Amino acid sequence: MNSVEIIELKPKRQPLSITLQIIFVLGVLASGIASFFWKEIMPLFYAMLSFTLFVMAWNQYKLSNRKKIAILYVVFAMITLVSAILELLELL
């Protein structure tokens, strides 16, 4: 007689860094739209973009094993972080 065993497959949990990337992308979109109306929000936009690029670099490095693209993301993240600091200093 044939016996059938039922195996329940559990979905993999999504890594926290992917969830953070989604949240930061939504933050970049919201602050980008808000920066059209209020120019004082530009440092926030640059900071959110910088954090998004850092998280994207981490995801590329750890999850996708794409080291060269991760380095490119880090370079652009540093540039936008410097832009955010310069914008903050300009507002003061």
Side-chain angles (χ1 to χ4, degrees):
M1 182 174 244
N2 292 339
S3 66
V4 177
E5 183 179 342
I6 298 174
I7 300 173
E8 185 177 335
L9 297 176
K10 294 180 182 178
K12 279 188 170 180
R13 256 185 97 213
Q14 189 174 10
L16 179 64
S17 59
I18 297 291
T19 307
L20 281 176
Q21 182 176 339
I22 292 168
I23 291 170
F24 280 135
V25 166
L26 293 175
V28 166
L29 290 174
S31 63
I33 291 170
S35 69
F36 282 125
F37 302 110
W38 301 289
K39 295 298 178 191
E40 296 85 22
I41 298 182
M42 276 311 264
L44 174 68
F45 172 70
Y46 287 137
M48 291 292 289
L49 183 61
S50 178
F51 291 141
T52 304
L53 288 169
F54 278 129
V55 172
M56 288 172 66
W58 176 262
N59 287 337
Q60 290 293 322
Y61 186 78
K62 285 293 184 181
L63 301 178
S64 299
N65 294 325
R66 295 180 182 167
K67 313 284 190 248
K68 292 180 183 177
I69 302 232
I71 292 170
L72 186 65
Y73 283 149
V74 169
V75 168
F76 283 124
M78 294 299 286
I79 291 170
T80 57
L81 188 63
V82 169
S83 297
I85 293 170
L86 290 176
E87 285 281 332
L88 278 174
L89 291 176
E90 185 179 302
L91 287 177
L92 298 175

